[in-house]
Short mmCIF file of all heavy atoms in Angstrom, two decimals:
data_model
loop_
_atom_site.label_atom_id
_atom_site.label_comp_id
_atom_site.label_asym_id
_atom_site.label_seq_id
_atom_site.Cartn_x
_atom_site.Cartn_y
_atom_site.Cartn_z
N LYS C 1 0.83 -1.17 0.07
CA LYS C 1 0.05 0.00 0.04
C LYS C 1 0.86 1.23 0.04
O LYS C 1 0.49 2.25 -0.63
CB LYS C 1 -0.94 0.01 1.21
CG LYS C 1 -2.14 -0.92 1.10
CD LYS C 1 -3.11 -0.71 2.26
CE LYS C 1 -4.33 -1.59 2.10
NZ LYS C 1 -5.18 -1.21 0.98
N ARG C 2 1.97 1.23 0.70
CA ARG C 2 2.85 2.43 0.81
C ARG C 2 3.27 2.98 -0.48
O ARG C 2 3.39 4.19 -0.69
CB ARG C 2 4.05 2.14 1.71
CG ARG C 2 5.02 3.27 1.92
CD ARG C 2 6.26 2.89 2.61
NE ARG C 2 7.11 1.99 1.84
CZ ARG C 2 8.31 1.61 2.22
NH1 ARG C 2 8.77 1.90 3.41
NH2 ARG C 2 9.09 0.93 1.38
N SER C 3 3.44 2.06 -1.46
CA SER C 3 3.92 2.48 -2.74
C SER C 3 2.96 2.43 -3.89
O SER C 3 3.28 2.47 -5.03
CB SER C 3 5.17 1.62 -3.14
OG SER C 3 4.92 0.25 -2.99
N GLN C 4 1.64 2.33 -3.58
CA GLN C 4 0.66 2.48 -4.58
C GLN C 4 0.70 3.77 -5.17
O GLN C 4 0.64 4.84 -4.50
CB GLN C 4 -0.69 2.17 -3.99
CG GLN C 4 -0.95 0.64 -3.63
CD GLN C 4 -2.24 0.37 -3.02
OE1 GLN C 4 -2.95 1.36 -2.36
NE2 GLN C 4 -2.75 -0.81 -3.06
N LEU C 5 0.75 3.93 -6.51
CA LEU C 5 0.85 5.22 -7.15
C LEU C 5 -0.49 5.92 -7.35
O LEU C 5 -1.48 5.23 -7.43
CB LEU C 5 1.55 5.02 -8.46
CG LEU C 5 2.97 4.46 -8.50
CD1 LEU C 5 3.49 4.30 -9.95
CD2 LEU C 5 3.86 5.26 -7.69
N GLU C 6 -0.46 7.16 -7.34
CA GLU C 6 -1.61 8.06 -7.56
C GLU C 6 -1.38 8.93 -8.70
O GLU C 6 -0.17 9.22 -9.05
CB GLU C 6 -2.03 8.88 -6.36
CG GLU C 6 -2.43 8.00 -5.16
CD GLU C 6 -2.86 8.82 -3.93
OE1 GLU C 6 -2.98 10.09 -4.14
OE2 GLU C 6 -3.18 8.26 -2.88
N GLU C 7 -2.46 9.37 -9.39
CA GLU C 7 -2.26 10.33 -10.54
C GLU C 7 -1.51 11.58 -9.96
O GLU C 7 -1.78 12.09 -8.92
CB GLU C 7 -3.65 10.72 -11.06
CG GLU C 7 -3.56 11.66 -12.24
CD GLU C 7 -4.95 12.06 -12.71
OE1 GLU C 7 -5.94 11.66 -12.19
OE2 GLU C 7 -5.03 12.70 -13.82
N ASN C 8 -0.58 12.03 -10.84
CA ASN C 8 0.24 13.27 -10.59
C ASN C 8 1.38 13.02 -9.53
O ASN C 8 2.01 14.00 -9.13
CB ASN C 8 -0.64 14.47 -10.20
CG ASN C 8 -1.45 14.96 -11.32
OD1 ASN C 8 -1.01 15.00 -12.46
ND2 ASN C 8 -2.72 15.29 -11.01
N ASP C 9 1.57 11.85 -9.07
CA ASP C 9 2.83 11.56 -8.32
C ASP C 9 3.99 11.79 -9.21
O ASP C 9 3.94 11.51 -10.45
CB ASP C 9 2.88 10.07 -7.88
CG ASP C 9 1.92 9.76 -6.59
OD1 ASP C 9 1.47 10.78 -6.00
OD2 ASP C 9 1.73 8.61 -6.34
N ILE C 10 5.06 12.31 -8.65
CA ILE C 10 6.35 12.46 -9.37
C ILE C 10 7.21 11.23 -8.96
O ILE C 10 7.34 11.01 -7.77
CB ILE C 10 7.03 13.77 -9.06
CG1 ILE C 10 6.18 14.95 -9.51
CG2 ILE C 10 8.40 13.83 -9.69
CD1 ILE C 10 6.75 16.33 -9.15
N LEU C 11 7.78 10.63 -9.96
CA LEU C 11 8.76 9.53 -9.74
C LEU C 11 10.15 10.02 -10.04
O LEU C 11 10.33 10.74 -11.03
CB LEU C 11 8.42 8.29 -10.58
CG LEU C 11 7.04 7.61 -10.39
CD1 LEU C 11 6.89 6.39 -11.25
CD2 LEU C 11 6.83 7.35 -8.93
N PHE C 12 11.08 9.71 -9.13
CA PHE C 12 12.46 10.16 -9.26
C PHE C 12 13.35 8.97 -9.00
O PHE C 12 13.36 8.38 -7.80
CB PHE C 12 12.67 11.28 -8.31
CG PHE C 12 14.11 11.95 -8.45
CD1 PHE C 12 14.32 13.04 -9.28
CD2 PHE C 12 15.18 11.41 -7.77
CE1 PHE C 12 15.50 13.60 -9.43
CE2 PHE C 12 16.41 12.08 -7.83
CZ PHE C 12 16.59 13.17 -8.67
N SER C 13 14.10 8.51 -9.96
CA SER C 13 14.98 7.34 -9.71
C SER C 13 16.17 7.70 -8.73
O SER C 13 16.77 8.68 -8.90
CB SER C 13 15.53 6.78 -11.07
OG SER C 13 16.33 7.76 -11.68
N ILE C 14 16.35 6.73 -7.82
CA ILE C 14 17.28 7.05 -6.66
C ILE C 14 18.38 5.94 -6.65
O ILE C 14 19.20 5.97 -5.72
CB ILE C 14 16.65 7.18 -5.35
CG1 ILE C 14 15.83 5.87 -5.01
CG2 ILE C 14 15.73 8.39 -5.27
CD1 ILE C 14 15.13 6.03 -3.59
N ALA C 15 18.41 4.98 -7.61
CA ALA C 15 19.36 3.97 -7.64
C ALA C 15 19.71 3.66 -9.17
O ALA C 15 18.80 3.80 -9.98
CB ALA C 15 18.97 2.71 -6.94
N GLY C 16 20.87 3.34 -9.42
CA GLY C 16 21.26 3.01 -10.82
C GLY C 16 21.33 4.25 -11.68
O GLY C 16 22.19 5.09 -11.51
N ALA C 17 20.35 4.40 -12.63
CA ALA C 17 20.31 5.58 -13.45
C ALA C 17 19.57 6.70 -12.67
O ALA C 17 18.48 7.05 -12.82
CB ALA C 17 19.46 5.30 -14.70
N ILE C 18 20.45 7.33 -11.77
CA ILE C 18 19.77 8.34 -10.85
C ILE C 18 19.33 9.57 -11.61
O ILE C 18 19.96 10.03 -12.58
CB ILE C 18 20.84 8.72 -9.80
CG1 ILE C 18 21.04 7.57 -8.79
CG2 ILE C 18 20.50 9.99 -9.04
CD1 ILE C 18 22.06 7.85 -7.78
N GLY C 19 18.17 10.04 -11.19
CA GLY C 19 17.63 11.34 -11.72
C GLY C 19 16.68 11.11 -12.84
O GLY C 19 16.13 12.20 -13.35
N ARG C 20 16.16 9.98 -13.22
CA ARG C 20 15.15 9.83 -14.28
C ARG C 20 13.77 10.23 -13.59
O ARG C 20 13.46 9.75 -12.44
CB ARG C 20 15.13 8.44 -14.75
CG ARG C 20 14.26 8.22 -16.01
CD ARG C 20 14.62 6.95 -16.73
NE ARG C 20 16.02 6.88 -17.26
CZ ARG C 20 16.50 5.99 -18.03
NH1 ARG C 20 15.78 4.94 -18.38
NH2 ARG C 20 17.76 6.07 -18.37
N THR C 21 13.00 11.04 -14.23
CA THR C 21 11.87 11.62 -13.64
C THR C 21 10.57 11.39 -14.54
O THR C 21 10.70 11.31 -15.75
CB THR C 21 11.98 13.08 -13.35
OG1 THR C 21 12.30 13.74 -14.65
CG2 THR C 21 13.06 13.39 -12.37
N ALA C 22 9.45 11.38 -13.95
CA ALA C 22 8.17 11.30 -14.63
C ALA C 22 7.06 11.65 -13.73
O ALA C 22 7.11 11.53 -12.51
CB ALA C 22 7.96 9.94 -15.22
N ILE C 23 5.95 12.21 -14.35
CA ILE C 23 4.72 12.40 -13.61
C ILE C 23 3.74 11.28 -13.97
O ILE C 23 3.52 10.98 -15.16
CB ILE C 23 4.11 13.78 -13.97
CG1 ILE C 23 5.06 14.92 -13.50
CG2 ILE C 23 2.73 14.00 -13.33
CD1 ILE C 23 4.57 16.28 -13.80
N VAL C 24 3.07 10.70 -12.96
CA VAL C 24 2.25 9.51 -13.16
C VAL C 24 0.90 9.97 -13.80
O VAL C 24 0.23 10.78 -13.21
CB VAL C 24 1.99 8.80 -11.86
CG1 VAL C 24 0.90 7.70 -12.01
CG2 VAL C 24 3.29 8.26 -11.25
N PRO C 25 0.55 9.48 -14.89
CA PRO C 25 -0.76 9.70 -15.57
C PRO C 25 -1.82 8.78 -15.12
O PRO C 25 -1.50 7.66 -14.64
CB PRO C 25 -0.48 9.64 -17.04
CG PRO C 25 0.54 8.48 -17.08
CD PRO C 25 1.34 8.57 -15.83
N ARG C 26 -3.08 9.16 -15.20
CA ARG C 26 -4.14 8.27 -14.82
C ARG C 26 -4.14 7.00 -15.64
O ARG C 26 -4.58 5.95 -15.14
CB ARG C 26 -5.54 9.01 -14.99
CG ARG C 26 -6.70 8.20 -14.49
CD ARG C 26 -8.00 9.01 -14.72
NE ARG C 26 -7.98 10.24 -14.02
CZ ARG C 26 -8.98 11.17 -14.10
NH1 ARG C 26 -9.98 10.94 -14.85
NH2 ARG C 26 -8.85 12.26 -13.39
N SER C 27 -3.76 7.06 -16.81
CA SER C 27 -3.79 6.03 -17.84
C SER C 27 -3.08 4.68 -17.40
O SER C 27 -3.38 3.64 -17.80
CB SER C 27 -3.34 6.37 -19.17
OG SER C 27 -1.99 6.83 -19.12
N ILE C 28 -2.04 4.84 -16.50
CA ILE C 28 -1.27 3.62 -16.09
C ILE C 28 -1.74 3.03 -14.80
O ILE C 28 -1.24 2.03 -14.36
CB ILE C 28 0.24 3.89 -16.00
CG1 ILE C 28 0.61 4.76 -14.80
CG2 ILE C 28 0.77 4.62 -17.35
CD1 ILE C 28 2.03 4.73 -14.41
#
């Protein structure tokens, strides 16, 4: 439950390829 995504959450990669970003759309 802690990591269930919601629309408009911002994702930011913190391991490996650090700094990859995206805004979560409703479609996924």
Side-chain angles (χ1 to χ4, degrees):
K1 282 185 178 294
R2 181 184 71 176
S3 51
Q4 288 177 336
L5 300 181
E6 295 183 6
E7 184 180 4
N8 292 320
D9 282 347
I10 295 176
L11 299 183
F12 185 91
S13 59
I14 56 176
I18 288 177
R20 194 162 294 187
T21 57
I23 295 178
V24 175
R26 182 182 302 176
S27 60
I28 74 164

